[in-house]
């Protein structure tokens, strides 16, 4: 059984740039959620995708956007990067109608200079 | 406003000691989950508690959900260095996958 994989693991960007983070969900899972974890904080819910559509969103501005593909993999895009966007971005997959357990990837560590 | 307050934020103890960490909220959750996160990794689910007053045991870890489903505690007996990590509680509300996390308790167990 393949776990959740994220790429890249680390990246550095400058203010104003755009970034795309990628996530492959665990085999058999149809739902992907994205979380932002700033240093010293717990993860904060960004949004969730199910059947290629956004299905719930946290308190994040529109410059945070995402996609889910037919194979259930997902992308998180952030435009006009700000210094406060520096964080660990976590992807979690789950199966709707299953146990409700989320399986997290190791995250993508984004640094904005 | 932090919906889920965890305490203490940091805890450093010696191997063999017992400890309790707390997760408190003014909101009611349909269920509450506890995760453990190690540096450079994503959180890993330890347990889900659903029923008010529920107690679940996982080896040396005991989890309790408050009667009103607003708070929870995690008790570790005879802590070991392998228990070191960030312990996160997360309340489940609304759609599956929309978790509200606390800031976590960073536990360090010294040999």
């Amino acid at each position: 059984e393949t776990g959740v994989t994220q790429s890249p693991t680390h990246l550095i960007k400058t203010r104003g740039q755009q970034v795309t983070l990628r996530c492959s969900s665990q085999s058999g899972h149809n739902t992907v959620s994205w979380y932002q974890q700033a240093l010293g904080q717990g993860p904060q819910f960004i949004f969730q995708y199910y059947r290629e559509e956004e299905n719930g969103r946290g308190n994040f501005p529109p410059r945070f956007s995402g996609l889910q593909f037919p194979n259930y993999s997902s992308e998180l895009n952030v435009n006009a990067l700000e210094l406060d966007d520096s964080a660990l971005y976590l992807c979690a997959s789950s199966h709707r109608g299953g146990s409700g357990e989320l399986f997290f990837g190791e995250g993508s560590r984004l640094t904005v200079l | 406003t932090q919906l889920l307050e965890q305490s203490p934020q940091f805890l450093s103890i010696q191997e063999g000691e017992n400890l309790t960490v707390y997760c408190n909220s003014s909101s009611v959750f349909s269920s509450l989950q506890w995760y453990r996160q190690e540096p450079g990794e994503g959180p890993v689910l330890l347990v889900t508690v659903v029923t008010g007053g529920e107690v679940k045991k996982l080896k040396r870890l005991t989890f309790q959900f408050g009667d009103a489903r607003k708070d929870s505690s995690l008790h570790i007996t005879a802590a070991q260095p392998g228990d070191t990590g960030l312990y996160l509680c997360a309340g489940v509300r609304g759609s599956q996958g929309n978790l509200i996390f606390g800031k976590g308790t960073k536990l360090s167990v010294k040999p």
Side-chain angles (χ1 to χ4, degrees), chain B residues 7 10 17-19 29 35 37-38 44-45 75 81 95 97 104 109:
Chain B
S7 61
F10 301 95
E17 290 184 22
N18 301 331
L19 66 115
F29 294 100
Y35 289 81
Q37 184 177 22
E38 297 192 48
V44 175
L45 180 67
H75 182 79
S95 62
V109 183

Side-chain angles (χ1 to χ4, degrees), chain A residues 31 33 35 37 40-45 48 55-56 88 90 94-107, chain B residues 2 6 9-10 33 35 37 40-46 48 86 88-89 92 95-104:
Chain A
T31 303
S33 304
Y35 287 80
Q37 186 175 22
Q41 303 290 320
Q44 279 199 292
F45 176 68
Q48 178 186 84
N55 181 45
L88 180 68
L90 294 162
S94 58
H95 185 76
R96 179 154 294 206
S99 66
E101 180 174 355
L102 295 187
F103 293 82
F104 283 87
E106 293 187 348
Chain B
Q2 191 73 23
Q6 286 191 243
Q9 276 191 285
F10 301 95
Q33 299 181 335
Y35 289 81
Q37 184 177 22
E41 297 185 10
V44 175
L45 180 67
L46 296 173
T48 301
L86 179 68
L88 294 157
C89 68
V92 182
S95 62
Q96 183 187 45
N98 183 1
L99 300 180
I100 298 170
F101 282 88
K103 288 187 178 182

Side-chain angles (χ1 to χ4, degrees), chain A residues 11-74:
Chain A
L11 70 165
I12 299 173
K13 292 283 188 178
T14 55
R15 248 183 336 177
Q17 284 189 310
Q18 177 264 345
V19 70
T20 297
L21 308 178
R22 295 178 176 83
C23 171
S24 292
S25 58
Q26 183 160 314
S27 177
H29 287 180
N30 54 19
T31 303
V32 173
S33 304
W34 285 92
Y35 287 80
Q36 180 196 64
Q37 186 175 22
L39 201 61
Q41 303 290 320
Q44 279 199 292
F45 176 68
I46 303 175
F47 43 54
Q48 178 186 84
Y49 277 82
Y50 172 64
R51 289 187 175 177
E52 302 175 51
E53 300 224 347
E54 188 179 291
N55 181 45
R57 188 179 182 94
N59 189 25
F60 280 82
R63 58 189 186 85
F64 285 77
S65 63
L67 285 172
Q68 186 181 31
F69 300 99
N71 66 354
Y72 305 126
S73 65
S74 178

Side-chain angles (χ1 to χ4, degrees), chain B residues 33-103:
Chain B
Q33 299 181 335
W34 284 91
Y35 289 81
R36 180 165 158 260
Q37 184 177 22
E38 297 192 48
E41 297 185 10
V44 175
L45 180 67
L46 296 173
V47 78
T48 301
V49 285
V50 180
T51 307
E54 183 177 2
V55 176
K56 278 191 174 177
K57 291 194 175 185
L58 186 67
K59 297 184 181 178
R60 293 176 293 100
L61 278 60
T62 302
F63 304 85
Q64 185 161 8
F65 201 14
D67 291 340
R69 305 206 327 269
K70 293 182 180 180
D71 51 76
S72 181
S73 64
L74 158 60
H75 182 79
I76 301 180
T77 304
Q80 298 176 2
D83 295 327
T84 293
L86 179 68
Y87 288 83
L88 294 157
C89 68
V92 182
R93 290 167 83 180
S95 62
Q96 183 187 45
N98 183 1
L99 300 180
I100 298 170
F101 282 88
K103 288 187 178 182

